[in-house]
Amino acid sequence: MTSHTLAVAIVSSFSILASGAVSAGPEQATRSVERGKYLVQVSGCNDCHTPGYMQMEGNVPESAWLTGSPVGFQGPWGTTYPVNLRRYMEDKSEAQWIATARQPTRPPMPWFNLRQMSDKDLTAIYRYVRALGPAGEPAPAAVAPGQLVNTPYVEFVPKNLPPIKQASH
């Protein structure tokens, strides 16, 4: 092989790798899914997005994980419900998920924590949720402030709380 041919082969290989045209092997994909499961567990995603998870101290079958909840969170923003992530991600690409994960959402979702995650971690979460497959029903739609709801809800209205001082930067 001439040095010119070798150089072309090396440059082509780097170009293909940089473009993402070569997909990850099965072992790397498995590690990504396992990392996603770990991140879902330690980030507390199941606490809200899996019915009964906190009450059962995490003893909920994985097949029921991340299916959303009909238990709302009510506060000055209205009433919101933990989305069924398995249905939510069903029609999203990895890029759409990453972009959406970094956008502000209604309370009490700690979207600002997702915003701090690396693309690699958000991709791992996406791949794990997609590996679980679709299950469950969509969560109820959010309800505007002051509107009555017919579902159970947790009230997020602090009593006698002193004003929060903003940190100076």
Side-chain angles (χ1 to χ4, degrees):
M1 185 180 283
T2 68
S3 60
H4 175 68
T5 306
L6 180 60
V8 169
I10 290 171
V11 169
S12 296
S13 297
F14 282 121
S15 296
I16 290 170
L17 289 171
S19 72
V22 175
S23 62
E27 185 177 313
Q28 186 176 356
T30 299
R31 281 195 309 263
S32 181
V33 170
E34 289 170 359
R35 173 82 176 155
K37 179 180 179 178
Y38 169 77
L39 290 167
V40 161
Q41 289 178 293
V42 300
S43 297
C45 302
N46 282 312
D47 294 352
C48 297
H49 292 274
T50 300
Y53 193 84
M54 287 185 13
Q55 298 89 331
M56 299 292 296
E57 298 176 357
N59 293 317
V60 174
E62 190 175 6
S63 62
W65 286 14
L66 308 176
T67 56
S69 179
V71 176
F73 294 98
Q74 193 171 83
W77 62 86
T79 305
T80 52
Y81 297 88
V83 69
N84 179 334
L85 292 172
R86 292 166 68 167
R87 293 283 182 198
Y88 180 77
M89 290 189 197
E90 187 174 21
D91 298 324
K92 287 200 180 321
S93 68
E94 284 182 11
Q96 288 171 321
W97 157 245
I98 290 170
T100 304
R102 294 211 165 98
Q103 297 302 310
T105 59
R106 292 182 177 135
M109 178 62 201
W111 64 270
F112 39 85
N113 292 337
L114 289 177
R115 180 184 63 198
Q116 298 303 317
M117 288 185 176
S118 68
D119 285 358
K120 186 176 179 179
D121 283 345
L122 289 173
T123 297
I125 290 171
Y126 173 86
R127 290 180 180 172
Y128 172 67
V129 174
R130 292 288 300 256
L132 287 172
E137 298 300 320
V143 178
Q147 301 296 310
L148 296 177
V149 296
N150 295 322
T151 62
Y153 62 89
V154 176
E155 194 170 11
F156 270 70
V157 181
K159 308 288 187 201
N160 300 321
L161 185 66
I164 298 172
K165 295 180 183 177
Q166 295 293 326
S168 57
H169 297 282

